Amino acid sequence: MIKKKLSFDEPIYVLAPLAGFTDLPFRSVVKKFGADLTVSEMLSSNALVHGSQKTLSMIEKSPNEDPYSVQIAGAEVDVIKRAVEILNEQDGIDVIDLNCGCPVPKVVGHGSGSSLLLNLPLMGDIIKTIKETSNKNLTSVKIRLGFEKKNHIEIAKIVEDSGADFLAVHGRTRAGKFKAAVDYDAIAEIKKAVKIPVIANGDIDSYEKAKWVLEHTGADGVMIGRGAVGAPWIFHQLKHGTKNIDKNLKHDIILEHFDKMMEFYGPHGVVMFRKHTHTYSKGYKGASALRDSVNRIVDAKEYRATLDDFFSNSEIVC
């Protein structure tokens, strides 16, 4: 089988890692319907090194995820090196991505994620270690604009100088978490300051917004996370250049996602799909009644029939 290479000749569309949502079933669906690159949920390098079976299982990918990126977090060069050596033994990975953007206190408290933005020499050493150790095609980095205040150009240049092949930029500082306004001007400044490809990220929640961000920042692609939850068809819209999305295609994507969840998780997938049903049904007439009914359904066939009926016949009201 000929592997697909990641090309930046045209804008690329990337599914951002999102804990609890971007698992294998969801990634396989967005890949099928238009995403150019999918990324694993963030993996702890410490957990990899200590042989966590749960963490190792999170590396597993769908056959259609090609190319595929695995994102790791960590704060110790030696541990990162050993984690990369473990990933080197895994087939099917094309990119190793270093998380330098996660704002969650548990991650920051361990010196990982956006905490690395407070120690740029260490961040650079870790990136160099990944690049030198990895047998994968590409090394990438996910950053924010800074920790408490913006020093995004300095950060981006160190990422580039340390050997990363491309970077993704979430347009907030760590202090801004997920509520502050995204600074797309700063992403544009990074794009002008470095020669490696730049992927824009942050509050990209519609086809129109994605197209605007690409034009405004000059970025080489967009990374979409929360904007794809409940609307994975955004990748289909972008790939096909269409603002409108057919109701029947939405129906097909939702049922495909459900089928993949059952295939991957077995009977427990029914319970897990409830949160997705809640997001998919937003804007549909009768959504609250649907959510109430599926919260009591445990049989997969009954659940699927309920979804099929609802998304075939219910009207979109907003």
Side-chain angles (χ1 to χ4, degrees):
M1 184 175 70
I2 299 174
K3 288 191 65 61
K4 298 177 183 176
K5 290 186 177 181
L6 195 62
S7 170
F8 293 94
D9 293 338
E10 296 181 354
I12 70 166
Y13 309 116
V14 186
L15 176 66
L18 199 61
F21 284 94
T22 56
D23 55 5
L24 185 153
F26 188 74
R27 296 195 314 267
S28 70
V29 170
V30 299
K31 183 65 181 181
K32 177 178 178 178
F33 289 97
D36 294 301
L37 178 66
T38 50
V39 188
S40 74
E41 295 180 76
M42 185 179 70
L43 309 181
S44 162
S45 56
N46 281 295
L48 273 176
V49 168
H50 286 97
S52 165
Q53 288 304 306
K54 180 180 178 182
T55 303
L56 284 169
S57 69
M58 291 167 67
I59 297 171
E60 185 181 352
K61 70 168 194 171
S62 172
N64 73 342
E65 290 186 270
D66 179 20
Y68 176 59
S69 174
V70 169
Q71 185 183 80
I72 60 174
E76 299 174 63
V77 172
D78 290 345
V79 174
I80 290 282
K81 180 179 175 63
R82 288 160 60 198
V84 172
E85 288 170 346
I86 291 169
L87 293 177
N88 283 345
E89 298 172 3
Q90 305 291 322
D91 294 331
I93 300 171
D94 303 278
V95 185
I96 295 181
D97 180 69
L98 175 66
N99 185 299
C100 298
C102 181
V104 175
K106 182 180 178 181
V107 175
V108 172
H110 289 130
S112 304
S114 57
S115 188
L116 287 174
L117 304 179
L118 293 171
N119 190 341
L120 297 184
L122 174 61
M123 182 190 77
D125 287 344
I126 290 175
I127 296 167
K128 289 174 185 175
T129 297
I130 296 172
K131 186 66 179 177
E132 292 167 0
T133 308
S134 173
N135 64 3
K136 310 307 178 187
N137 294 333
L138 300 169
T139 297
S140 64
V141 181
K142 174 84 179 289
I143 66 170
R144 283 184 173 239
L145 302 178
F147 197 82
E148 292 290 344
K149 59 182 181 179
K150 288 180 279 189
N151 59 326
H152 49 291
I153 301 300
E154 180 185 13
I155 295 167
K157 283 187 173 293
I158 289 177
V159 168
E160 180 178 44
D161 292 344
S162 300
D165 297 290
F166 67 96
L167 75 158
V169 184
H170 183 96
R172 295 181 174 97
T173 62
R174 190 268 172 172
K177 296 190 178 177
F178 295 104
K179 293 185 178 180
V182 175
D183 189 345
Y184 299 108
D185 291 341
I187 299 177
E189 290 166 3
I190 289 175
K191 173 58 186 170
K192 290 177 181 176
V194 299
K195 294 182 175 62
I196 59 175
V198 174
I199 309 298
N201 172 242
D203 285 4
I204 301 171
D205 55 6
S206 68
Y207 170 80
E208 297 89 343
K209 183 69 172 286
K211 299 298 284 185
W212 179 87
V213 168
L214 283 169
E215 182 177 352
H216 184 80
T217 64
D220 300 278
V222 290
M223 176 178 277
I224 304 171
R226 287 180 293 171
V229 174
W233 38 82
I234 189 171
F235 291 101
H236 180 274
Q237 292 172 287
L238 289 166
K239 205 65 180 174
H240 292 83
T242 176
K243 175 183 175 181
N244 298 316
I245 186 80
D246 185 75
K247 179 184 173 182
N248 292 328
L249 180 59
K250 286 186 178 182
H251 169 273
D252 292 346
I253 291 174
I254 292 166
L255 288 185
E256 170 103 4
H257 188 190
F258 178 80
D259 291 341
K260 292 295 183 183
M261 289 282 283
M262 296 307 106
E263 182 182 311
F264 189 68
Y265 292 110
H268 185 59
V270 170
V271 175
M272 297 180 69
F273 201 77
R274 288 172 183 164
K275 65 183 178 184
H276 294 292
T277 304
H278 292 187
T279 55
Y280 281 135
S281 61
K282 286 181 180 177
Y284 280 82
K285 186 176 181 180
S288 59
L290 172 72
R291 295 167 196 163
D292 182 61
S293 66
V294 297
N295 283 343
R296 295 191 295 270
I297 297 175
V298 294
D299 179 74
K301 288 184 178 179
E302 182 184 355
Y303 201 118
R304 193 184 194 283
T306 300
L307 290 176
D308 188 10
D309 177 66
F310 180 84
F311 289 105
S312 294
N313 299 306
S314 292
E315 297 178 6
I316 299 175
V317 293
C318 65

